[in-house]
Amino acid sequence: MEIIVAKRAGFCFGVKRATQMAFEAAKEKGNTFTLGPIIHSPQVVQKLEEMGVKVRKDLSGLSDATIIIRSHGVAAEELEEAVLKELEIIDATCPFVKKAQEHVKSLSQSGYDVVVVGDADHPEVQGIVSYATGKVFVVGSNEEASRLPRMGKIGVVAQTTQSFENLQSVVMKCLARGSEIRVFNTICDATAIRQEEAKELAKQVDCMVVIGGYNSANTKRLTEVCTELQPRSFQIETAQELNPAWFDGVERVGVTAGASTPKWLIDEVVERIEQINRNNNH
């Protein structure tokens, strides 16, 4: 059985940067917390916890501490609160997410009603939305965009892990809703490249394994993209979840991973697949 690992599987630039900052802080500083999970990988969050970096839902009761802003960013008011509390802030927000936040702020200040293309429940989107000072709408699909009211000036940004097709279809709907449209393509190209690569791989193999946190939006999307082309596609978080039955009669396995998946998890999965293959051949 041949195992093919996607070239771009695993950490994207923003996540790599955020985890490095968090692990450095864990070594150098005491009393360190992250506001929300640093990235959507329970395994990485657990490693940091073992090094003394705890996850906090909010800043209540914190003083004289270091707070790490996660890669997805946080709401503007949470950042203000951290400044007021005089906490040491390590801002590990992904630069792509930061860009989206800045665009929303400036669009709002210039009198645009803002449309954010993304998942309203996702922490990244909730953070982006908080930078709007005027009207702001979150739409996840073409269908939701059809329910937007008529507006004068519309500014559009996207959650960084959205698909380009989705942004495009929402923008088309916005064209019918407003007299002036300003669009910023804030999709991170790492997401698009990863999805394209996964599609290519899914066409060539008999089974796809996608590794990443169940709370990770981009991993979920990778799994959907793979399943459309290869129905034998499975998402897992760790090597323990691999089921030997998935590989019955399989000659080629494709492996990819979400942007929050560390290399050591990918290595463990590949090793486990090799082991299953050896057991099947004996």
Side-chain angles (χ1 to χ4, degrees), residues 148-163:
L148 286 169
R150 287 230 27 111
M151 293 173 260
K153 292 159 62 165
I154 306 176
V156 185
V157 304
Q159 178 181 1
T160 57
T161 50
Q162 281 294 301
S163 73

Side-chain angles (χ1 to χ4, degrees), residues 160-163 187-196 218 222:
T160 57
T161 50
Q162 281 294 301
S163 73
I187 295 171
C188 164
D189 48 351
T191 303
I193 291 166
R194 214 177 243 94
Q195 287 175 9
E196 282 313 308
N218 74 81
L222 269 182

Side-chain angles (χ1 to χ4, degrees), residues 11 19 28 45 48 66 108 139 151-152 159 209 213 217 243 245 256 282:
F11 278 2
T19 30
E28 293 162 16
V45 170
L48 280 165
T66 299
S108 246
V139 294
M151 293 173 260
Q159 178 181 1
V209 176
N243 179 346
T256 186
H282 283 160

Side-chain angles (χ1 to χ4, degrees), residues 140-238:
S141 63
N142 195 348
E143 183 197 359
E144 283 176 30
S146 345
R147 297 198 282 272
L148 286 169
R150 287 230 27 111
M151 293 173 260
K153 292 159 62 165
I154 306 176
V156 185
V157 304
Q159 178 181 1
T160 57
T161 50
Q162 281 294 301
S163 73
F164 185 70
E165 292 76 27
N166 198 32
L167 171 61
Q168 221 170 0
S169 67
V170 171
V171 169
M172 291 308 286
K173 280 278 187 279
C174 287
L175 284 170
R177 294 280 178 277
S179 49
E180 183 191 328
I181 315 278
R182 206 158 169 214
V183 183
F184 287 100
N185 177 2
T186 49
I187 295 171
C188 164
D189 48 351
T191 303
I193 291 166
R194 214 177 243 94
Q195 287 175 9
E196 282 313 308
E197 207 180 46
K199 282 179 193 170
E200 283 312 305
L201 192 50
K203 289 177 200 163
Q204 301 164 24
V205 296
D206 312 306
C207 168
M208 271 302 284
V209 176
V210 184
I211 316 159
Y214 293 120
N215 58 347
S216 156
N218 74 81
T219 305
K220 202 163 107 187
R221 186 79 195 101
L222 269 182
T223 309
E224 287 164 7
V225 162
C226 291
T227 308
E228 280 165 22
L229 295 161
Q230 173 49 268
R232 277 178 94 156
S233 293
F234 307 95
Q235 184 187 340
I236 57 168
E237 264 189 17
T238 63

Side-chain angles (χ1 to χ4, degrees), residues 34-201:
T34 64
L35 197 45
I38 183 77
I39 60 171
H40 278 159
S41 164
Q43 292 70 32
V44 170
V45 170
Q46 192 187 338
K47 268 205 155 128
L48 280 165
E49 190 120 321
E50 285 160 11
M51 291 173 75
V53 179
K54 304 272 188 287
V55 178
R56 290 287 299 242
K57 277 199 174 65
D58 55 50
L59 299 174
S60 58
L62 267 193
S63 63
D64 192 28
T66 299
I67 190 85
I68 305 170
I69 307 296
R70 61 181 169 205
S71 59
H72 293 114
V74 295
E77 48 272 21
E78 290 180 297
L79 208 48
E80 280 160 28
E81 190 189 343
V83 172
L84 286 174
K85 286 183 174 258
E86 296 183 356
L87 300 172
E88 183 180 346
I89 301 167
I90 295 175
D91 191 352
T93 307
C94 165
F96 286 101
V97 175
K98 204 79 170 161
K99 250 309 172 251
Q101 294 173 349
E102 286 161 7
H103 287 319
V104 167
K105 193 174 174 179
S106 71
L107 283 165
S108 246
Q109 286 167 348
S110 313
Y112 287 81
D113 291 338
V114 176
V115 171
V116 180
V117 183
D119 166 12
D121 297 328
H122 195 282
E124 179 194 319
V125 173
Q126 290 166 348
I128 291 171
V129 163
S130 72
Y131 285 81
T133 45
K135 276 195 186 151
V136 59
F137 303 89
V138 178
V139 294
S141 63
N142 195 348
E143 183 197 359
E144 283 176 30
S146 345
R147 297 198 282 272
L148 286 169
R150 287 230 27 111
M151 293 173 260
K153 292 159 62 165
I154 306 176
V156 185
V157 304
Q159 178 181 1
T160 57
T161 50
Q162 281 294 301
S163 73
F164 185 70
E165 292 76 27
N166 198 32
L167 171 61
Q168 221 170 0
S169 67
V170 171
V171 169
M172 291 308 286
K173 280 278 187 279
C174 287
L175 284 170
R177 294 280 178 277
S179 49
E180 183 191 328
I181 315 278
R182 206 158 169 214
V183 183
F184 287 100
N185 177 2
T186 49
I187 295 171
C188 164
D189 48 351
T191 303
I193 291 166
R194 214 177 243 94
Q195 287 175 9
E196 282 313 308
E197 207 180 46
K199 282 179 193 170
E200 283 312 305
L201 192 50

